[in-house]
Amino acid sequence: METLLLKDTPADIKTAADIIKNGGIVAVPTETVYGLAADALNGKAVEKIFTAKGRPMDNPLIVHICDLEMLERFNIYREFTDKAKLLAERFWPGPLTVILPKGDSIPDETSAGLSTVAVRFPSHKTALALIKAADTPLAAPSANLSGKPSPTTAQHCINDLMGRADAIIDGGECEVGVESTVITLAQDPPRLLRPGGVTPEQLREVLGEIVIDKAVTDRLEEGRTAASPGMKYRHYAPRADVFLVRGESFVPFVSRIADRDSAVICYDEDKDKFDLTAYPIGKKTDFHSHTHRLFDILRQIDDTDIRTVFAPCPPKDGVSLAVYNRLIRAAAFRIINADAYVLGLTGPTGAGKSLAASEFKKHGWHIVDADRLCREIYKKDSRVLKELSAVFGKDILTQDGGLDRKKLASRAFADNESTRKLNEITHPYIYEAVLLEIEEYSERGFDKFILDAPTLFESGGQRFCSKVLAVTAPVQKRLERIIHRDKITQEEALLRENAQHSDSYYTEKADLHIVNDKDENTLIEAVNKLITEIL
Ligand code: TXA
Ligand code: MG
């Protein structure tokens, strides 16, 4: 299909309107995002939108009007309640979509067979001109390919829909930048289904009580039906892993944990503080800039090889709720806490790390055990199993899709190169699990953590720590301990000892150091002294 590139001129609007009247589809700017429009009353035309976007047919479209009079003239609704009137008066034209009982003229293709219809009166002059010239309500979802962020520039539409739409009208950047607020009046009290440019606070001023659907901020629980069909679809997932970071220490924390494949989305005032690729999203309190820039930034990042992206966790009120709603999905609901105090704990085997850790635990610290997390990941993270089997052979997986750890070990520890590959695959997953466990326990009230990791330095885990404590002990003491603890022979213990680093390997890199060369009580005393110092 040839795609006409049109401008925002009366002649081009007429061309676009003719395409619509003949059952074609046109990408058009609105104040929120670009829409892919067809005659909402023409089922065949509307079907083309679904094909062009690759959108599931059971996800209904929004019907766009250019004046209130159209609502009745085209028999769009069955009932326009007082609440609908109040919303229309206050927020239309503008970025608000209202769900109403559906009128007879709306074909099933537009409403996906529902008894309700979503209606919006946009404020963008180009959208209004097109609706007026076509003289029919326009069904228009966002003009992106399904699975991509909504388009906020004509170039985004060109990237997604060239050869798939009849025309694209270039009307510059969309001002709001995120899709409209969606509220349903088909329930009482009204329910907010999607946050956007019109805020919950503004809606409450007009409607009194409204309910914010749980799916706006939280993962849709399995088995629960979505209040809006759009909620159940897996949303846009960026190529990179995105993490939302909460807490005051955003800049130092991200600077510490970022590696060379990372980028950061940040406030304008912080953009020069990072030694990594930074995407400024606007001044910290310029919330409109955040919605305006968000999707373009996500699209830019998708065009790079960046593997990890950190973004400040937006507040859950005002227009920021819309940014939170889009970003938390892009982040697959991963939030991490920049303000947690994390003390790395490392050292050679048998030095007394476990005893030290249990002493911290007695003082209310939460112990994050990297070895335990690694075992859990092997058990249940299908992403890591997929990557491992691609490198070490499909037969490292058992019949039921689990991991044959012995087989993996025999291959992964066969030579240095294989071990390097194993670590390259597993470490990012382990540290993701570390960050998520810290967040989970922060939510439960913990603020101090031990990251217990024997290979903390080798794995680059130091960057996840506020400070690192090394526990070492004389070789003879350590040998005695592991012979006793693991019930092994002197020879086996010596063999293990040979694989250990020297003490200086740990002490040179660590910030704090305890030599466990006397008895247990002395170690416990040393730990207690340290805890008082840290506090
Ligand atoms: O800002 C916007 O709303 C843009 C511009 C182009 O107007 N449009 C847009 O459309 O974002 P779309 O299709 O990408 O999102 C519409 C959302 C979907 O999540 C859909 O499931 C929901 O609205 N929706 C539509 N009709 C509905 C209905 N009758 N009941 C519940 N949800 C509905
Ligand atoms: Mg959409």
Side-chain angles (χ1 to χ4, degrees):
M1 171 193 295
E2 194 203 341
T3 303
L4 286 178
L5 294 181
L6 302 176
K7 290 258 182 300
D8 180 15
T9 62
D12 278 4
I13 296 288
K14 184 172 183 311
T15 307
D18 288 339
I19 293 173
I20 299 272
K21 283 189 213 164
N22 290 319
I25 54 176
V26 176
V28 57
T30 83
E31 74 279 21
T32 56
V33 300
Y34 275 73
L36 182 58
D39 178 354
L41 309 181
N42 177 347
K44 279 266 165 310
V46 168
E47 236 178 66
K48 292 183 189 167
I49 295 177
F50 287 89
T51 314
K53 280 180 58 94
R55 177 175 172 118
M57 288 294 292
D58 64 349
N59 194 1
L61 306 182
I62 297 172
V63 174
H64 297 69
I65 54 173
C66 65
D67 54 52
L68 291 176
E69 173 266 336
M70 275 186 121
L71 285 171
E72 250 175 82
R73 182 153 65 97
F74 291 101
N75 193 12
I76 293 173
Y77 63 82
R78 209 179 62 237
E79 209 190 331
F80 206 65
T81 58
D82 288 346
K83 282 185 173 157
K85 280 183 199 127
L86 288 171
L87 289 176
E89 251 168 50
R90 168 83 193 266
F91 301 111
W92 279 354
L96 177 70
T97 296
V98 182
I99 294 175
L100 302 166
K102 185 180 88 140
D104 292 335
S105 67
I106 303 295
D108 279 349
E109 287 84 352
T110 300
S111 65
L114 298 180
S115 61
T116 51
V117 61
V119 184
R120 175 158 119 76
F121 182 171
S123 63
H124 196 288
K125 69 176 193 326
T126 312
L128 294 173
L130 181 63
I131 304 169
K132 199 166 169 48
D135 196 31
T136 183
L138 298 185
S142 48
N144 52 289
L145 286 176
S146 253
K148 289 248 196 175
S150 293
T152 56
T153 67
Q155 188 59 50
H156 297 160
C157 299
I158 291 171
N159 295 348
D160 282 15
L161 295 177
M162 207 57 188
R164 294 173 162 265
D166 294 296
I168 295 169
I169 307 175
D170 186 345
E173 289 181 17
C174 301
E175 200 184 303
V176 178
V178 293
E179 307 87 343
S180 61
T181 302
V182 178
I183 187 160
T184 178
L185 297 179
Q187 300 179 17
D188 197 39
R191 179 176 289 259
L192 179 78
L193 301 181
R194 182 174 74 184
V198 172
T199 67
E201 294 81 358
Q202 290 174 314
L203 290 167
R204 286 194 178 110
E205 277 171 27
V206 174
L207 296 174
E209 188 191 0
I210 64 162
V211 174
I212 299 180
D213 196 274
K214 199 161 177 280
V216 166
T217 49
D218 295 311
R219 205 190 287 268
L220 189 67
E221 287 152 35
E222 233 164 288
R224 220 182 117 238
T225 39
S228 165
M231 286 173 175
K232 74 170 178 254
Y233 290 106
R234 184 155 184 264
H235 252 258
Y236 155 71
R239 274 168 25 119
D241 284 327
V242 176
F243 291 89
L244 299 194
V245 181
R246 63 181 183 89
E248 301 292 304
S249 325
F250 181 79
V251 175
F253 176 77
V254 171
S255 304
R256 209 176 72 210
I257 72 172
D259 62 17
R260 64 185 143 72
D261 297 323
S262 310
V264 62
I265 298 173
C266 64
Y267 300 125
D268 288 1
E269 43 274 58
D270 292 334
K271 72 177 195 298
D272 298 323
K273 297 181 188 159
F274 293 99
D275 192 17
L276 67 159
T277 314
Y279 295 87
I281 194 165
K283 289 223 175 69
K284 185 167 183 184
T285 53
D286 184 358
F287 305 112
H288 290 282
S289 166
H290 306 165
T291 59
H292 178 72
R293 288 193 206 164
L294 180 66
F295 287 151
D296 184 59
I297 290 177
L298 291 174
R299 279 182 177 254
Q300 281 184 49
I301 292 174
D302 269 341
D303 288 337
T304 69
D305 289 328
I306 290 164
R307 291 182 56 166
T308 315
V309 177
F310 301 100
C313 187
K316 290 193 227 174
D317 56 12
V319 273
S320 290
L321 181 65
V323 180
Y324 182 90
N325 169 266
R326 308 313 189 274
L327 265 182
I328 193 76
R329 280 165 179 73
F333 294 89
R334 286 176 296 213
I335 301 183
I336 56 183
N337 177 8
D339 292 344
Y341 186 92
V342 181
L343 181 65
L345 177 62
T346 192
T349 178
K353 284 197 307 293
S354 307
L355 185 62
S358 62
E359 194 55 27
F360 279 101
K361 196 172 172 182
K362 278 188 205 151
H363 286 79
W365 295 53
H366 176 72
I367 315 296
V368 183
D369 179 342
D371 286 343
R372 168 176 52 79
L373 289 176
C374 183
R375 286 193 299 274
E376 283 174 15
I377 285 164
Y378 282 159
K379 245 186 240 154
K380 60 175 192 215
D381 197 323
S382 58
R383 298 170 304 169
V384 76
L385 297 187
K386 200 171 143 201
E387 280 193 53
L388 287 173
S389 63
V391 170
F392 295 106
K394 285 226 165 353
D395 58 328
I396 62 162
L397 299 182
T398 56
Q399 291 279 331
D400 54 5
L403 179 71
D404 183 338
R405 291 186 59 186
K406 280 218 175 95
K407 206 171 257 171
L408 172 65
S410 74
R411 296 195 186 147
F413 296 119
D415 53 76
N416 287 342
E417 178 54 20
S418 303
T419 311
R420 193 190 60 75
K421 272 197 194 132
L422 173 75
N423 291 336
E424 192 179 281
I425 294 173
T426 54
H427 287 161
Y429 290 103
I430 296 173
Y431 285 111
E432 175 186 335
V434 166
L435 292 169
L436 295 181
E437 181 163 318
I438 290 172
E439 171 64 18
E440 187 191 332
Y441 281 81
S442 299
E443 290 267 300
R444 297 190 200 175
F446 287 85
D447 60 353
K448 286 184 284 312
F449 298 84
I450 293 290
L451 173 54
D452 180 355
T455 58
L456 187 75
F457 295 128
E458 295 88 326
S459 60
Q462 194 171 4
R463 67 183 202 274
F464 298 96
C465 305
S466 314
K467 283 212 164 110
V468 176
L469 165 65
V471 178
T472 62
V475 178
Q476 200 47 46
K477 286 243 178 228
R478 292 199 289 108
L479 283 175
E480 278 164 27
R481 283 196 200 111
I482 60 177
I483 290 169
H484 180 74
R485 181 188 72 191
D486 299 341
K487 316 228 171 346
I488 53 176
T489 63
Q490 175 90 21
E491 287 74 56
E492 285 169 321
L494 274 171
L495 214 61
R496 241 195 250 178
E497 172 55 31
N498 286 338
Q500 300 291 308
H501 295 287
S502 65
D503 282 3
S504 63
Y505 174 86
Y506 297 101
T507 53
E508 275 165 15
K509 294 185 181 66
D511 308 287
L512 307 161
H513 182 202
I514 292 179
V515 190
N516 179 19
D517 55 357
K518 298 200 181 69
D519 55 8
E520 286 193 359
N521 284 336
T522 322
L523 174 64
I524 289 170
E525 260 171 44
V527 170
N528 278 294
K529 188 161 163 266
L530 201 88
I531 291 175
T532 345
E533 276 167 25
I534 290 172
L535 302 182

